[in-house]
Amino acid sequence: GENVEQHPSTLSVQEGDSAVIKCTYSDSASNYFPWYKQELGKRPQLIIDIRSNVGEKKDQRIAVTLNKTAKHFSLHITETQPEDSAVYFCAASDSGGSNYKLTFGKGTLLTVNP
Amino acid sequence: KAGVTQTPRYLIKTRGQQVTLSCSPISGHRSVSWYQQTPGQGLQFLFEYFSETQRNKGNFPGRFSGRQFSNSRSEMNVSTLELGDSALYLCASSLGQGGAFFGQGTRLTVV
C-alpha cells in the first residue's frame, strides 16, 4: 500500500520568513495530493491540493510543488504569520482525485514566532 | 452550506463495551470516509462509503465496522472496546472529485 513520509516533524520560523514542508510517497499510482492544516483542538482543514498532471499550484501565500519522477511534493508558505502556527499534514491518494482513501504523513508542527 | 457534523463530540466508554458514532456529510456529498487520529499513529484510514457501499477498508480489526444510509449519513461502530481504541475519530465527506472535508470529530476515551 501507499506510504507517505513527511519532514520535518517540527519547524520553527520567525514571522515573515518562509516555511517549507516536504513529503515523499511510494505508490506511483497516486495522483492526488492534498495538504491539511489542523489547529489545536480543531478539525483538519484542506488548504491546497494538487493533481499529478500539474507541477505547481499557488494560492496567495501558499504553494505546492509536485515532482512525479522523484515522488515528492512540498508545501511552501511565504511571509509566515503567527496564525499559520498549526500542524500540517500532507496526504496522497490513488483514487482519481477523490477521498476514497487518503494516506497521510505524520504531520509537521509549524510554530511561527512573532 | 452546513459542514460535516459528527455526534457525539465526546464519549467515555468502558473496556468491552461497544460504541456507535454518527456523521452527517455536507449536503450533496455521497462519499464518506472515516479516520482514526492518535498522537502516535497520526491519521489512519478506516473505511470509505459511497452510495451505501463500502468501497475501501483500512487495516483495522473486524471490531471496527460502518454503514451508510440512503441520505448519505454514516455511522461507525466499534465493538468490544479496548484501551487502545481511545482516539479522535474523524469523518470526511467529498463529492468524489476534489478534496475531503472533515467534521470536528468524536473524542472517544476508553477506560
Side-chain angles (χ1 to χ4, degrees):
Chain A
E2 175 67 278
N3 182 52
V4 176
E5 300 281 342
Q6 182 172 347
H7 299 280
S9 57
T10 61
L11 179 60
S12 181
V13 300
Q14 290 298 123
E15 184 177 357
D17 287 350
S18 294
V20 180
I21 302 170
K22 298 181 179 181
C23 290
T24 60
Y25 60 99
S26 62
D27 190 349
S28 56
S30 288
N31 53 21
Y32 176 66
F33 308 92
W35 286 87
Y36 287 85
K37 174 184 179 182
Q38 187 174 30
E39 296 175 78
L40 189 62
K42 296 192 176 180
R43 72 187 80 191
Q45 285 189 300
L46 177 67
I47 56 172
I48 196 166
D49 57 10
I50 192 168
R51 300 181 192 279
S52 59
N53 59 347
V54 176
E56 184 176 4
K57 184 176 179 180
K58 289 183 180 179
D59 183 3
Q60 299 183 335
R61 295 187 298 109
I62 60 173
V64 57
T65 58
L66 171 65
N67 183 326
K68 284 192 297 182
T69 304
K71 293 186 195 166
H72 68 70
F73 55 113
S74 301
L75 178 71
H76 304 253
I77 306 174
T78 59
E79 300 172 20
T80 54
Q81 301 167 3
E83 50 265 40
D84 294 329
S85 296
V87 178
Y88 290 80
F89 294 95
C90 62
S93 169
D94 65 353
S95 304
S98 74
N99 72 328
Y100 297 4
K101 178 180 179 180
L102 290 172
T103 302
F104 284 88
K106 294 290 190 189
T108 296
L109 174 61
L110 173 65
T111 303
V112 180
N113 302 298
Chain B
K1 208 174 205 182
V4 179
T5 304
Q6 289 188 245
T7 56
R9 291 290 310 280
Y10 304 93
L11 267 178
I12 300 176
K13 290 286 187 179
T14 304
R15 274 181 302 174
Q17 287 186 313
Q18 74 166 22
V19 67
T20 299
L21 313 181
S22 180
C23 173
S24 293
I26 293 170
S27 177
H29 286 194
R30 294 166 64 189
S31 172
V32 175
S33 295
W34 289 88
Y35 294 84
Q36 182 194 65
Q37 186 174 29
T38 59
Q41 298 299 317
L43 281 153
Q44 293 188 288
F45 174 80
L46 282 156
F47 28 66
E48 187 255 354
Y49 288 88
F50 187 89
S51 294
E52 302 178 66
T53 300
Q54 185 183 90
R55 295 193 299 190
N56 235 319
K57 190 176 192 307
N59 297 322
F60 279 82
R63 300 185 297 107
F64 291 81
S65 63
R67 58 178 177 168
Q68 187 180 34
F69 302 95
S70 58
N71 62 357
S72 294
R73 189 177 70 86
S74 177
E75 290 181 346
M76 68 163 280
N77 184 76
V78 188
S79 62
T80 320
L81 284 165
E82 300 177 359
L83 295 178
D85 297 332
S86 294
L88 180 66
Y89 290 88
L90 291 159
C91 84
S93 77
S94 168
L95 280 169
Q97 290 292 325
F101 298 91
F102 283 89
Q104 290 188 298
T106 294
R107 173 75 61 186
L108 172 64
T109 303
V110 182
V111 297

